[in-house]
Amino acid sequence: MEQLVTSDFKLGIIAGGQLGKMLVLAASNWDIKTFILDTDHHCPASTCCTNYVRGNQLDYEDVIRFGEMVDMITFEIENVNIEALQKLKSEGKKIFPDPDTLRIIWDKGLQKEFYRNNQIPSAQFLLFKSKAEIIEAATTGEIPFPFVQKLRKGGYDGKGVAIIHTQYDLKNLLDGDSIIEKLVEIQTEISVIVARNCKGETKCFPVAEMEFNEANMVEKLICPSSLDEKILQHANGIAIKLIASLNLCGLLSVEMFVDKYNDVWINEIAPRPHNSGHHTIESIETSQYEQLLRAIFNFPLGSTKLKMPSVMINLLGEPDYEGSVKYEGLTDCMSIEGVKIHLYGKRITKPYRKMGHVTVIATSIDEAKQKACIVRQKLRVKSW
Ligand code: ADP
């Protein structure tokens, strides 16, 4: 692959959000030219990529046109026009991860069937076509309370999920093709990011533990996890089995539940860099972005050894502010040792919009947590 990493090699990245931006920055270390496809010419990656291409990742023609400009394609979002990717693949374009794998992951129903067929632990499920069908099945007792409904396509950050405890909650059901899952008695939620190159070498990043806010977005991400080593090894084993079963070349983020009996269940997966891997830039020897590049260029995978414990917090738009963004408290936070601030460059803030993140590295998790609390209080995303 050495000859591919030259100043002429063009890597196409579908969508230019914060994950795309951080991937572009990693690619620039190897002098790879990066092309970004996004509808917004002010998207976070637009200021640092080699070429910005305006277009919609869900539009067949836009994806084809973009694909023809580049030597290889990867993505930072899984909501992509898969038919266009398949057409490009049939013409010989290198696409990582493979569009066939993307098709399975894109649809939570196919994802769950894949887990069942490959003996990968995930909560029991049934498939339904509509809200009315679910109400009927709940009323006749076919699905016992409590349960969780997930729309098969398009959910993110908890949107597209309804937790139904009793019949009174049935009014909260969402309409559309859904899976119904058994409610797991969650002790904690963890994330394992695993990489696999095209030779089949795999490597996991240390397990990170997640804490959520009231809007169901990750509030704090703690690495390393304090869970028992046996549970962590088990979680890594599940992630490695899954990426190999999917024959995926690239990066797979695997969100899992640890239940109150210490059993581990897959919740959901994403075949790309992930919010739960932001901390890898500062706290791990190889970042998730460099690891993705190593995997798709078929280089040896980098070390995933922990350099420093870390706590990552998302910088979300304050609930009562919308408009041109203004950050408060930057100077104070910059003076705290180990506080690494990432601003994505989004011009407009909205309630709970992800505007940036902060990784706090310290010699202990307790110290990192204390500093993260100070940053959380001081650093505010508001509007003018
Ligand atoms: P999204 O993709 O929108 O983030 P998730 O599938 O991660 O949605 O679900 C959002 C949250 O709902 C999870 O973080 C978890 O707290 C809860 N949840 C989802 N599935 C289950 C389940 N089977 N049992 C218990 N809680 C669940």
Side-chain angles (χ1 to χ4, degrees), residues 272-283:
R272 55 169 172 80
H274 196 253
N275 190 269
S276 65
H278 283 334
H279 65 287
T280 58
I281 293 176
E282 287 94 0
S283 80

Side-chain angles (χ1 to χ4, degrees), residues 187-190 206-211 222-232 258 262 365-366 369:
Q187 175 193 151
T188 187
E189 299 194 33
I190 58 173
V207 175
E209 245 176 278
M210 297 181 279
E211 281 176 23
I222 297 156
C223 184
S225 157
S226 58
L227 288 169
D228 190 271
E229 191 54 35
K230 257 169 69 186
I231 302 173
L232 301 179
V258 181
N262 287 337
I365 284 291
D366 283 345
K369 274 188 177 170

Side-chain angles (χ1 to χ4, degrees), residues 67-317:
E68 285 167 353
M69 294 178 195
V70 297
D71 300 306
M72 187 194 272
I73 299 174
T74 189
F75 35 87
E76 63 121 52
I77 189 167
E78 51 274 36
N79 214 7
V80 182
N81 189 303
I82 298 179
E83 281 68 36
L85 292 183
Q86 270 168 331
K87 172 85 169 100
L88 289 164
K89 181 186 160 192
S90 72
E91 291 167 355
K93 191 69 63 188
K94 291 181 191 317
I95 303 175
F96 300 110
D98 192 283
D100 292 336
T101 311
L102 189 58
R103 192 179 281 287
I104 298 173
I105 294 174
W106 202 51
D107 176 338
K108 286 188 175 170
L110 296 182
Q111 224 185 85
K112 295 288 284 190
E113 280 169 352
F114 186 88
Y115 300 148
R116 188 163 58 194
N117 296 340
N118 288 277
Q119 289 86 48
I120 288 166
S122 177
Q124 276 176 30
F125 73 102
L126 290 169
L127 300 179
F128 289 90
K129 289 235 158 283
S130 66
K131 183 172 174 172
E133 269 189 17
I134 300 169
I135 293 176
E136 197 188 324
T139 313
T140 59
E142 186 195 343
I143 42 178
F145 294 103
F147 62 82
V148 181
Q149 176 201 19
K150 294 180 183 176
L151 293 180
R152 286 180 67 159
K153 289 180 185 165
Y156 66 98
D157 289 341
K159 297 178 183 69
V161 176
I163 299 189
I164 308 294
H165 292 282
T166 66
Q167 58 177 346
Y168 299 106
D169 295 334
L170 290 174
K171 60 181 183 310
N172 301 331
L173 282 170
L174 309 159
D175 209 4
D177 270 336
S178 307
I179 57 170
I180 294 296
E181 255 184 21
K182 203 173 155 169
L183 186 85
V184 175
E185 295 180 86
I186 300 174
Q187 175 193 151
T188 187
E189 299 194 33
I190 58 173
S191 160
V192 180
I193 298 180
V194 58
R196 183 167 177 274
N197 66 16
C198 307
K199 288 193 281 276
E201 184 196 1
T202 54
K203 229 169 226 178
C204 289
F205 284 92
V207 175
E209 245 176 278
M210 297 181 279
E211 281 176 23
F212 292 84
N213 69 6
E214 70 274 14
N216 220 353
M217 295 174 83
V218 174
E219 169 83 15
K220 271 199 204 101
L221 189 103
I222 297 156
C223 184
S225 157
S226 58
L227 288 169
D228 190 271
E229 191 54 35
K230 257 169 69 186
I231 302 173
L232 301 179
Q233 288 304 328
H234 183 49
N236 282 348
I238 293 172
I240 288 173
K241 179 173 176 191
L242 177 56
I243 200 168
S245 311
L246 285 165
N247 195 18
L248 187 150
C249 172
L251 213 57
L252 186 69
S253 316
V254 189
E255 291 181 56
M256 307 188 200
F257 302 132
V258 181
D259 73 12
K260 62 178 199 182
Y261 311 103
N262 287 337
D263 285 327
V264 180
W265 306 93
I266 289 189
N267 173 27
E268 61 165 356
I269 57 176
R272 55 169 172 80
H274 196 253
N275 190 269
S276 65
H278 283 334
H279 65 287
T280 58
I281 293 176
E282 287 94 0
S283 80
I284 308 290
E285 286 189 357
T286 307
S287 76
Q288 63 168 342
Y289 308 98
E290 179 182 334
Q291 198 73 307
L292 170 60
L293 295 170
R294 284 173 176 262
I296 65 183
F297 283 98
N298 211 9
F299 284 126
L301 297 178
S303 160
T304 53
K305 237 169 91 183
L306 187 84
K307 287 199 291 193
M308 286 278 257
S310 67
V311 171
M312 189 284 292
I313 54 172
N314 285 310
L315 282 182
L316 305 180

